[in-house]
Amino acid sequence: MSDRTPAGQFFDAAITLLQRVRDEEAEPVRAAGTLLADTVAGGGRLFAFGAGHSSLAAQDVVYRAGGLALMNLLTVPGVVGVDVMPATLGSALERVDGLASVVLETSPLRAGDALVIISLSGRNALPVEMAMKARSLGVRVIGVTSVAYASETTSRHTSGTYLKDHCDVVLDSKIAIGDAELTLDTIPAPFAPASTAVTTALLQAVMATAAATLADRGIEPPLLRSGNVDGGHEWNSRVFEEYRDRIFYQY
């Protein structure tokens, strides 16, 4: 029997979205995982960026058990997370022209690297400019966004384009405009966003594909293990040492 409570409805909505991205994004997930595997095999480095709540999915693939040790977080002060005060400053910075170029010019990114850019709307100046600038530097770009925004909103970048227009691979999260899955007659606004759960799952599917692709080529994937299992710290120390020139969160 279907659970019609708000909690049950949210789980149903999230599960439906996950099933959609599993079925409809299988090829982009494979392409993104292959791109990351190619980058690792070719000696490149991996980076992930997201602004505001999109940063949660970026952080989820950096320095974590079962993940690729080479994935680094590309940070933009005041934009990654909601710890900046006031929190609305982060949203304002996403619309500042020129910020992404300055960030990339002072970052470790170089030709041959790969950058995952996560932006639900894909319409703000920061992610659009970051994708454009990164590709001009010879960096391969994977974009994770809701493609629906491009047909139902106006771009905030001077080019009039969206993140999806400047990527080597695009992963469509299928999230509806406004990122809220539920409505009730007694509540004046839609509520219960699912973008974090869906985007995180999409990226973990990409990471799994990258690891398996490397293994298929006879290359041991540079994976981290949990520090809370016996031997985990020793395992990670070996990985950090082997890849120390491609990891930027480890001193």
Side-chain angles (χ1 to χ4, degrees):
M1 187 174 179
S2 178
D3 181 356
R4 301 310 299 165
T5 67
Q9 291 180 58
F10 176 77
F11 281 123
D12 287 345
I15 290 168
T16 297
L17 283 164
L18 288 169
Q19 290 173 330
R20 283 192 64 196
V21 297
R22 178 196 63 193
D23 298 339
E24 298 173 22
E25 296 301 294
E27 177 53 30
V29 166
R30 185 203 63 77
T34 302
L35 189 157
L36 294 186
D38 289 344
T39 303
V40 172
R45 296 87 56 82
L46 310 179
F47 296 84
F49 168 78
H53 287 95
S54 290
S55 72
L56 296 174
Q59 294 177 55
D60 190 61
V61 294
V62 175
Y63 182 51
R64 72 162 306 147
L68 292 173
L70 304 193
M71 184 61 74
N72 300 278
L73 187 67
L74 180 65
T75 60
V76 178
V79 170
V80 178
V82 293
D83 56 340
V84 62
M85 294 296 289
T88 50
L89 174 60
S91 298
L93 289 173
E94 287 187 69
R95 300 192 288 271
V96 174
D97 291 328
L99 179 57
S101 294
V102 172
V103 168
L104 291 182
E105 289 166 1
T106 57
S107 78
L109 269 101
R110 66 188 183 193
D113 291 346
L115 172 61
V116 178
I117 301 177
I118 305 152
S119 173
L120 178 61
S121 72
R123 68 188 294 223
N124 287 310
L126 182 58
V128 175
E129 182 185 326
M130 184 170 288
M132 295 173 70
K133 178 68 175 181
R135 293 181 87 189
S136 75
L137 296 173
V139 174
R140 304 287 297 282
V141 175
I142 297 170
V144 188
T145 187
S146 172
V147 172
Y149 276 82
S151 61
E152 300 183 41
T153 67
T154 302
S155 171
R156 288 176 173 151
H157 188 257
T158 54
S159 67
T161 60
Y162 297 78
L163 171 61
K164 72 174 185 64
D165 299 318
H166 306 284
C167 300
D168 295 279
V169 180
V170 176
L171 299 171
D172 184 3
S173 63
K174 316 293 182 182
I175 300 297
I177 305 295
D179 191 18
E181 294 301 318
L182 302 184
T183 58
L184 280 177
D185 292 341
T186 54
I187 299 178
F191 59 104
S195 61
T196 301
V198 175
T199 302
T200 298
L202 259 176
L203 281 179
Q204 290 299 345
V206 170
M207 298 301 132
T209 302
T213 301
L214 286 168
D216 287 344
R217 298 177 184 177
I219 301 171
E220 179 185 331
L223 296 170
L224 295 174
R225 300 191 68 180
S226 172
N228 295 314
V229 300
D230 292 342
H233 287 300
E234 292 76 14
W235 173 283
N236 292 341
S237 293
R238 175 183 66 82
V239 174
F240 287 147
E241 177 61 25
E242 182 175 352
Y243 293 97
R244 63 184 181 276
D245 61 332
R246 298 159 75 180
I247 296 173
F248 297 94
Y249 55 82
Q250 174 74 13
Y251 294 97

mmCIF file of all heavy atoms in Angstrom, residues 13 40 48 58 88 104 111 170 189 201 229:
data_model
loop_
_atom_site.group_PDB
_atom_site.id
_atom_site.type_symbol
_atom_site.label_atom_id
_atom_site.label_comp_id
_atom_site.label_asym_id
_atom_site.label_seq_id
_atom_site.Cartn_x
_atom_site.Cartn_y
_atom_site.Cartn_z
ATOM 1 N N ALA A 13 9.193 10.344 -4.646
ATOM 2 C CA ALA A 13 9.690 11.293 -5.643
ATOM 3 C C ALA A 13 11.188 11.107 -5.867
ATOM 4 O O ALA A 13 11.669 11.106 -7.017
ATOM 5 C CB ALA A 13 9.396 12.722 -5.199
ATOM 6 N N VAL A 40 43.026 10.010 -15.172
ATOM 7 C CA VAL A 40 43.904 9.356 -14.191
ATOM 8 C C VAL A 40 45.011 8.593 -14.905
ATOM 9 O O VAL A 40 46.195 8.705 -14.560
ATOM 10 C CB VAL A 40 43.096 8.408 -13.287
ATOM 11 C CG1 VAL A 40 44.018 7.586 -12.395
ATOM 12 C CG2 VAL A 40 42.110 9.203 -12.439
ATOM 13 N N ALA A 48 36.646 18.965 -8.425
ATOM 14 C CA ALA A 48 35.191 19.122 -8.396
ATOM 15 C C ALA A 48 34.845 20.467 -7.796
ATOM 16 O O ALA A 48 35.487 20.920 -6.837
ATOM 17 C CB ALA A 48 34.535 18.001 -7.588
ATOM 18 N N ALA A 58 29.858 18.041 -4.550
ATOM 19 C CA ALA A 58 31.292 18.103 -4.845
ATOM 20 C C ALA A 58 32.094 17.581 -3.665
ATOM 21 O O ALA A 58 33.031 16.784 -3.826
ATOM 22 C CB ALA A 58 31.693 19.538 -5.178
ATOM 23 N N THR A 88 23.457 34.725 2.053
ATOM 24 C CA THR A 88 23.040 35.243 0.743
ATOM 25 C C THR A 88 24.224 35.781 -0.065
ATOM 26 O O THR A 88 24.108 35.945 -1.290
ATOM 27 C CB THR A 88 22.006 36.356 0.927
ATOM 28 O OG1 THR A 88 22.511 37.313 1.881
ATOM 29 C CG2 THR A 88 20.683 35.790 1.440
ATOM 30 N N LEU A 104 40.450 30.200 -11.430
ATOM 31 C CA LEU A 104 41.168 29.190 -12.199
ATOM 32 C C LEU A 104 42.613 29.595 -12.457
ATOM 33 O O LEU A 104 43.516 28.745 -12.456
ATOM 34 C CB LEU A 104 40.450 28.931 -13.529
ATOM 35 C CG LEU A 104 39.098 28.225 -13.413
ATOM 36 C CD1 LEU A 104 38.508 27.991 -14.795
ATOM 37 C CD2 LEU A 104 39.229 26.896 -12.685
ATOM 38 N N ALA A 111 46.310 21.964 -18.195
ATOM 39 C CA ALA A 111 45.879 21.149 -19.333
ATOM 40 C C ALA A 111 46.061 19.671 -19.009
ATOM 41 O O ALA A 111 47.077 19.270 -18.430
ATOM 42 C CB ALA A 111 46.675 21.524 -20.570
ATOM 43 N N VAL A 170 27.692 16.102 -20.199
ATOM 44 C CA VAL A 170 26.653 16.710 -19.357
ATOM 45 C C VAL A 170 25.829 15.605 -18.711
ATOM 46 O O VAL A 170 25.341 14.697 -19.382
ATOM 47 C CB VAL A 170 25.720 17.618 -20.181
ATOM 48 C CG1 VAL A 170 24.583 18.152 -19.306
ATOM 49 C CG2 VAL A 170 26.502 18.774 -20.792
ATOM 50 N N ALA A 189 4.148 27.431 -0.402
ATOM 51 C CA ALA A 189 5.283 27.269 -1.310
ATOM 52 C C ALA A 189 5.611 25.786 -1.459
ATOM 53 O O ALA A 189 5.380 24.996 -0.537
ATOM 54 C CB ALA A 189 6.499 28.017 -0.764
ATOM 55 N N ALA A 201 24.130 10.841 -5.952
ATOM 56 C CA ALA A 201 24.058 9.493 -6.506
ATOM 57 C C ALA A 201 24.632 9.448 -7.919
ATOM 58 O O ALA A 201 25.357 8.502 -8.285
ATOM 59 C CB ALA A 201 22.612 9.007 -6.502
ATOM 60 N N VAL A 229 38.428 1.268 9.651
ATOM 61 C CA VAL A 229 38.606 -0.179 9.527
ATOM 62 C C VAL A 229 40.082 -0.481 9.722
ATOM 63 O O VAL A 229 40.952 0.353 9.415
ATOM 64 C CB VAL A 229 38.122 -0.711 8.159
ATOM 65 C CG1 VAL A 229 36.645 -0.423 7.961
ATOM 66 C CG2 VAL A 229 38.932 -0.102 7.017
#
